Amino acid sequence: MYKVFIPSINRAGITSTDKLFKNPIMVVPQRQVEDYKKHNKDVLGCPDEIKGITPTRNFILNYCKENGIKQHIQIDDDIKYFFKHEANKTIRDVPPETFWQLLEHMFLLTGEWGGRCFGLKLREDKKDYREYGPFPTLCVIGANTVSYTHLKLP
């Protein structure tokens, strides 16, 4: 089972993504840990000298490697709902359980293809998607949701 990490800064008590997952881990600057603990069960302090989203994501990646976490996702802290495009329509408020299942399948598929990570865009704009096209497998992963696997590949 994968772990969910939500990097955040200066938003204690107003984040929304943490309400969509079971047992998410908020990753915040060390100086803000106590503020976040008032609203979140699991809070991981990131050293205050680490600044910016890329170094924070690398901190999470290293934390997972050091702690034997084999699969994890990193997702923005302001996601309010999940949606999907189907039959040329946007369907909002997809149940979180459906999204969790999608992530499980994406981890399996990524591993079967010999990959180490995958990304998902969480933009609702239809022009960003090709619902009847294949998965792109050779592209830059720059998305709101980035997922990694450290499982040994065959």
Side-chain angles (χ1 to χ4, degrees):
M1 182 66 174
Y2 60 88
K3 297 263 187 193
V4 177
F5 290 88
I6 305 172
S8 186
I9 187 169
N10 297 327
R11 293 186 182 168
I14 60 171
T15 57
S16 52
T17 307
D18 50 307
K19 287 138 188 92
L20 298 173
F21 288 94
K22 299 177 194 172
N23 308 315
I25 301 166
M26 301 299 293
V27 181
V28 304
Q30 190 63 48
R31 68 183 181 281
Q32 295 180 11
V33 166
E34 293 308 315
D35 292 338
Y36 276 82
K37 280 187 174 179
K38 294 174 188 171
H39 308 280
N40 302 94
K41 184 176 136 191
D42 291 319
V43 181
L44 174 62
C46 181
D48 288 330
E49 57 271 10
I50 293 179
K51 307 238 186 270
I53 192 61
T54 301
T56 301
R57 289 191 186 280
N58 286 331
F59 169 81
I60 295 168
L61 188 59
N62 291 332
Y63 175 86
C64 289
K65 286 179 185 176
E66 291 166 7
N67 290 279
I69 297 169
K70 301 294 184 194
Q71 296 176 319
H72 77 278
I73 70 164
Q74 300 177 19
I75 186 167
D76 288 358
D77 67 355
D78 58 351
I79 308 299
K80 292 180 177 46
Y81 57 87
F82 300 116
F83 66 91
K84 65 181 177 177
H85 295 295
E86 192 173 276
N88 249 351
K89 293 182 184 167
T90 300
I91 301 167
R92 286 192 179 161
D93 295 320
V94 170
E97 295 82 5
T98 301
F99 187 71
W100 304 340
Q101 187 176 39
L102 170 70
L103 291 173
E104 294 268 346
H105 290 146
M106 289 301 296
F107 274 114
L108 288 171
L109 185 61
T110 300
E112 288 174 4
W113 285 357
R116 294 271 185 199
C117 60
F118 64 90
L120 299 171
K121 275 193 238 177
L122 296 178
R123 284 192 48 190
E124 201 169 341
D125 193 338
K126 177 94 171 72
K127 71 180 178 194
D128 285 339
Y129 299 92
R130 299 176 306 160
E131 67 185 277
Y132 297 108
F135 292 116
T137 57
L138 298 171
C139 61
V140 173
I141 297 177
N144 310 78
T145 305
V146 180
S147 307
Y148 299 91
T149 183
H150 302 292
L151 295 175
K152 201 167 205 168
L153 300 174

